[in-house]
Amino acid sequence: MRTKLLVSLLAVAGVMVAQQVKLPPALDKLASKAKEVTTVNLGPEMMGLATKFMDAKKPDEAEVKKVASKLRGVYVRSYEFEKVGDYTEADFAEIREQMKSPEWTNIISNRSSKELSEIYMHKDGGMLILSAEPRELTVVNIVGNITAEDLGGLSGQFGVPNVVTRERPKAKAPAKQEEEEE
Amino acid sequence: MDRFEQELKDALKREPAPEWFAGAVMARVNAERQRKQKPVWSGWARMRWVAASMVLVAVVGGVRFEQDRRERVRGEQAKQELMAAFQVMGMKLREVEERVLPVIHRGEE
């Protein structure tokens, strides 16, 4: 019985470790070049602590608490630079290399001449968001079991797109967007 | 009987104890008995134990309070960091959506 429990715990720990992306040291070195830096390192212990101090009775914290209780870690690196070229693709190449593992699936990839946006989902529920703009580089790694419904729950407070309840725009909408793009 | 013998005889002559003697001895015996029967932690000893216990409770309570305070500070900090992380995540997902959705809808038509 104990062996089974231990094996289960190790398996869970293994899954969580697999979902946690190894952020390359090159990424942290960008902080010295950036004019604005956002760094979040919340491991399992800090996630537990953050959840503990959220009040489920407060409307703005209830949904966050619900989602956060499913997570085992949140890691963010976001850099805003003064000028173009302060970072290169090589700085986050190691992250993309890790995403080639069969455990990760690239669900969205959008690349233009200036920007790169990619979202990866781990087979066990983790998520990675990579956004590279001329003057901004952001990496968000969510470790834990996060679903589209969970993200939808955060839509009101944090502006997360609600992909669950979203309705398709009417036929004319794309034409309008094209006009705007022009 | 010479004078010396008479003096010796007088000195060794048995005399009854004074009336107060027995009462004084018994009073002393009773006092001694009562002193021995007193509990170890009566009086000052008890006060010392009470004081030591209060100090112990105060120290343990203080340490616990400080631990709770530190945990609360760390918890609040973690909460703020989590909120900031969700803000960044929300912003980036929205940006990705704004870029990708038009392409998807165009493809569907």
Side-chain angles (χ1 to χ4, degrees):
Chain A
M1 185 67 186
R2 277 185 186 173
T3 314
K4 276 183 184 174
L5 186 68
L6 188 66
V7 168
S8 308
L9 285 172
L10 286 173
V12 169
V15 165
M16 295 308 173
V17 169
Q19 288 179 21
Q20 188 176 340
V21 176
K22 192 181 163 201
L23 298 171
L27 206 61
D28 284 328
K29 284 180 185 165
L30 291 175
S32 58
K33 294 181 190 174
K35 68 170 183 179
E36 210 173 304
V37 180
T38 304
T39 305
V40 175
N41 280 318
L42 293 173
E45 189 208 342
M46 293 305 280
M47 282 302 298
L49 213 52
T51 313
K52 186 178 168 185
F53 286 95
M54 281 178 187
D55 189 352
K57 288 173 188 164
K58 288 183 182 173
D60 58 331
E61 290 184 13
E63 194 61 40
V64 182
K65 187 180 173 88
K66 192 177 139 196
V67 175
S69 62
K70 293 180 170 185
L71 305 180
R72 299 285 295 160
V74 175
Y75 304 90
V76 175
R77 297 289 183 280
S78 184
Y79 306 106
E80 206 178 318
F81 301 96
E82 286 281 3
K83 56 184 192 296
V84 178
D86 274 350
Y87 76 93
T88 65
E89 276 202 32
D91 292 318
F92 57 87
E94 205 178 303
I95 295 174
R96 295 184 80 202
E97 199 60 38
Q98 291 175 63
M99 294 300 106
K100 287 178 182 169
S101 154
E103 293 177 331
W104 288 96
T105 307
N106 180 213
I107 57 164
I108 290 176
S109 182
N110 180 254
R111 186 176 198 129
S112 69
S113 58
K114 294 175 185 173
E115 294 169 348
L116 170 70
S117 303
E118 289 180 330
I119 299 176
Y120 296 88
M121 292 298 289
H122 192 272
K123 68 177 176 63
D124 297 309
M127 184 169 78
L128 181 99
I129 303 168
L130 176 65
S131 170
E133 294 164 49
R135 289 193 180 86
E136 206 178 315
L137 175 64
T138 302
V139 179
V140 179
N141 180 204
I142 307 285
V143 181
N145 193 9
I146 192 164
T147 61
E149 283 79 8
D150 295 328
L151 287 175
L154 300 174
S155 61
Q157 201 175 342
F158 300 104
V160 176
N162 195 343
V163 291
V164 180
T165 57
R166 183 178 304 288
E167 287 177 14
R168 274 195 58 207
K170 288 173 185 171
K172 257 195 162 181
K176 193 182 172 189
Q177 282 169 346
E178 276 171 11
E179 279 170 21
E180 282 172 0
E181 281 170 8
E182 283 163 12
Chain B
M1 190 181 288
D2 60 7
R3 190 166 156 251
F4 174 73
E5 281 180 330
Q6 186 60 47
E7 282 178 0
L8 192 64
K9 195 177 176 184
D10 290 343
L12 294 174
K13 188 172 68 180
R14 175 173 287 217
E15 286 183 13
E19 279 182 14
W20 55 266
F21 183 77
V25 168
M26 286 315 292
R28 184 77 178 267
V29 166
N30 284 338
E32 189 67 17
R33 194 178 290 157
Q34 275 181 0
R35 193 183 66 81
K36 284 184 180 170
Q37 280 177 351
K38 275 184 183 174
V40 179
W41 54 321
S42 66
W44 278 110
R46 182 195 280 178
M47 289 294 284
R48 278 204 297 271
W49 277 108
V50 170
S53 305
M54 284 170 73
V55 168
L56 188 69
V57 167
V59 168
V60 170
V63 168
R64 187 66 205 263
F65 178 80
E66 180 60 16
Q67 280 176 344
D68 284 354
R69 192 191 65 82
R70 284 186 187 182
E71 193 185 61
R72 208 176 311 120
V73 168
R74 286 178 70 212
E76 284 298 328
Q77 194 182 338
K79 196 169 93 176
Q80 294 307 319
E81 282 190 33
L82 185 63
M83 295 289 193
F86 281 164
Q87 292 277 4
V88 173
M89 182 181 77
M91 192 173 69
K92 289 299 150 192
L93 285 175
R94 208 167 50 245
E95 284 175 10
V96 171
E97 184 197 47
E98 281 166 9
R99 282 178 212 140
V100 171
L101 267 188
V103 179
I104 293 172
H105 293 320
R106 233 177 284 156
E108 283 177 352
E109 287 182 13

